[in-house]
């Protein structure tokens, strides 16, 4: 509200890109302009010998966080060179470069209010051998942050144990996407369902959906071709018509979602990771019913309770079949629906939450 906001991130060609997006509140999220780019090295090692790669990984983990160190160095260098001053610095993890940039900017400008938002587990992407080193690095670099937040209460507790200080939990905000006209959904004796993004067939379970014998389904998948082929191999003898959409841009994906009865989310059911898939928030923004399929490790039910929504986790075959049968009669009461959420954090309020914890 009145802030002028600059955003620094790494582009596809490994450059540091800066955008000025004006006021953070009520700005058109798609109307931005690139002001400059700083060349930077890629994030992949160029070493061929395994032992040298191990030594290099140890070096980066212990002293630099990860290879996004180069990005952080370039961002801070540019800010120093142009004598830019900031009131607030928000750093979003992963990768670790933003944490390092925030740490160094706070040293340069001690009056900065530094907010670090951890959007993954703190050891994300780190080999088991090096996790203790990585956590020590993170503990050191996080120590001068004014606010540290995570997107889940489970992760907040883990970081709190590491840091011995209060850690906030600020959920992902539901995006404020410009709504398009509601497109008609084909009402027939089958359901149009869409799933997009990656999937780990060992840790997520699509079987309960594609094994249903109750309802005919047209299943649309947008994403990786290898994943598409795996889905197809599962769907061969099922009552599912499968269609691969390829990779879609934002507008195409929104059209696909709008013309579907519901968005499918396969829950992460590996006990070592409690997580709410980000596509839950994206689908909610389009006011579309969401099928939550699979056993829950706890994260989804905690979130539903926070939102005041009834438990709609479809963790048995019977629940999946019953939900799909009801959907044919246009009864979506066993789906996650934003209309039934009593308290959801929307994008235009996210800064207010961070500011509250700065006081």
């Amino acid at each position: 509200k009145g802030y002028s906001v600059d955003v620094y991130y790494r582009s596809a060609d490994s450059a540091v890109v800066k955008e000025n997006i004006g006021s953070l509140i009520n700005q058109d999220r798609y109307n931005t302009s690139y002001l400059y780019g700083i060349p930077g090295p890629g994030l992949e090692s160029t070493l061929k010998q395994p032992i040298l790669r191990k030594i290099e990984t140890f070096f980066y983990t212990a002293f630099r966080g990860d290879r996004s160190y180069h990005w952080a160095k370039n961002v801070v260098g540019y800010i120093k060179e142009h004598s830019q001053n900031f009131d607030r610095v928000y750093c979003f993890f992963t990768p670790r470069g933003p944490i390092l940039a925030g740490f160094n900017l706070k040293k340069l400008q001690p009056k900065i209010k530094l907010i670090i938002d951890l959007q993954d587990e703190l050891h994300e992407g780190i080999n088991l051998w090096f996790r203790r080193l990585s956590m020590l690095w993170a503990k050191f670099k996080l120590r001068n942050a004014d606010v540290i937040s995570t997107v889940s209460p489970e992760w907040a507790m883990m970081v709190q144990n590491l840091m011995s200080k209060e850690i906030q939990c600020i959920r992902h905000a539901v995006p404020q996407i410009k709504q398009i006209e509601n497109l008609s959904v084909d009402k027939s004796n089958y359901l149009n369902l869409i799933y997009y993004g990656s999937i780990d067939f060992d840790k997520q379970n699509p079987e309960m959906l594609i094994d249903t014998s109750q309802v005919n389904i047209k299943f649309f998948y947008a994403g990786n071709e290898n994943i598409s082929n795996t889905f197809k191999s599962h769907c061969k003898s099922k009552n599912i018509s499968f269609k691969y959409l390829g990779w879609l841009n934002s507008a195409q994906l929104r059209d696909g979602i709008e013309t579907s009865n519901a968005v499918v989310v396969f829950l992460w059911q590996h006990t070592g990771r409690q997580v709410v898939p980000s596509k839950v928030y994206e689908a909610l923004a389009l006011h579309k019913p969401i099928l939550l399929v699979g056993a829950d490790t706890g994260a989804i039910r905690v979130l539903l309770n926070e939102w005041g929504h009834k438990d709609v986790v479809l963790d048995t075959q019977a629940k999946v079949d019953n939900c799909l049968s009801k959907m044919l009669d246009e009864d979506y009461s066993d789906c996650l629906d934003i209309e039934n959420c009593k308290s959801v954090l929307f994008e235009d309020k996210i800064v207010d939450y961070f500011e509250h914890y700065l006081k």
Side-chain angles (χ1 to χ4, degrees), residues 116-152:
I116 295 180
D117 190 35
L118 305 173
Q119 301 192 1
D120 273 307
E121 289 181 286
L122 207 46
H123 54 68
E124 180 72 18
I126 299 294
N127 186 292
L128 279 170
W129 292 3
F130 299 120
R131 280 190 181 175
R132 184 169 179 79
L133 270 178
S134 179
M135 298 296 268
L136 289 173
W137 180 92
K139 182 176 182 178
F140 182 76
K141 298 302 180 185
L142 290 170
R143 74 186 193 279
N144 65 352
D146 294 282
V147 173
I148 302 172
S149 66
T150 72
V151 295
S152 85

Side-chain angles (χ1 to χ4, degrees), residues 289-304:
I290 303 170
L291 282 169
L292 300 173
V293 180
D296 176 37
T297 56
I300 284 285
R301 284 192 168 99
V302 168
L303 181 62
L304 293 176

Side-chain angles (χ1 to χ4, degrees), residues 156-202:
M157 187 61 65
M158 289 168 59
V159 181
Q160 193 160 296
N161 290 338
L162 174 72
M163 301 298 298
S164 300
K165 64 183 288 187
E166 186 177 11
I167 307 298
Q168 309 302 331
C169 174
I170 302 177
R171 294 285 191 180
H172 281 304
V174 174
Q176 291 180 292
I177 300 173
K178 190 175 181 181
Q179 295 294 307
I180 59 177
E181 292 292 325
N182 279 329
L183 303 175
S184 61
V185 175
D186 186 11
K187 294 180 175 63
S188 187
N189 62 344
Y190 56 82
L191 296 172
N192 292 321
L193 303 180
I194 187 168
Y195 180 84
Y196 59 94
S198 62
I199 184 169
D200 186 327
F201 286 89
D202 293 326

Side-chain angles (χ1 to χ4, degrees), residues 219-339:
F219 190 90
F220 298 89
Y221 171 68
N224 182 283
E225 187 172 2
N226 291 333
I227 292 175
S228 169
N229 292 334
T230 305
F231 264 123
K232 280 182 187 174
S233 68
H234 283 276
C235 294
K236 262 180 193 173
S237 61
K238 312 297 181 185
N239 58 327
I240 291 185
S241 169
F242 183 89
K243 183 172 182 181
Y244 176 48
L245 303 177
W247 287 104
L248 304 181
N249 63 34
S250 297
Q252 291 169 329
L253 181 58
R254 287 166 61 194
D255 285 347
I257 291 173
E258 286 292 334
T259 53
S260 299
N261 295 92
V263 175
V264 177
V265 174
F266 296 114
L267 300 184
W268 192 272
Q269 53 192 42
H270 188 263
T271 54
R273 183 179 172 90
Q274 292 179 299
V275 63
V276 177
S278 59
K279 59 174 63 69
V280 168
Y281 302 93
E282 297 162 7
L284 278 176
L286 289 171
H287 293 251
K288 207 69 180 174
I290 303 170
L291 282 169
L292 300 173
V293 180
D296 176 37
T297 56
I300 284 285
R301 284 192 168 99
V302 168
L303 181 62
L304 293 176
N305 187 55
E306 286 179 22
W307 284 348
H309 196 290
K310 80 169 196 175
D311 186 344
V312 287
V313 174
L314 307 176
D315 54 4
T316 67
Q317 188 68 61
K319 287 181 182 179
V320 171
D321 292 344
N322 185 54
C323 176
L324 294 174
S325 297
K326 290 166 73 172
M327 286 170 63
L328 272 181
D329 295 325
E330 299 185 49
D331 178 353
Y332 294 89
S333 59
D334 288 340
C335 298
L336 173 59
D337 192 329
I338 196 168
E339 303 299 334

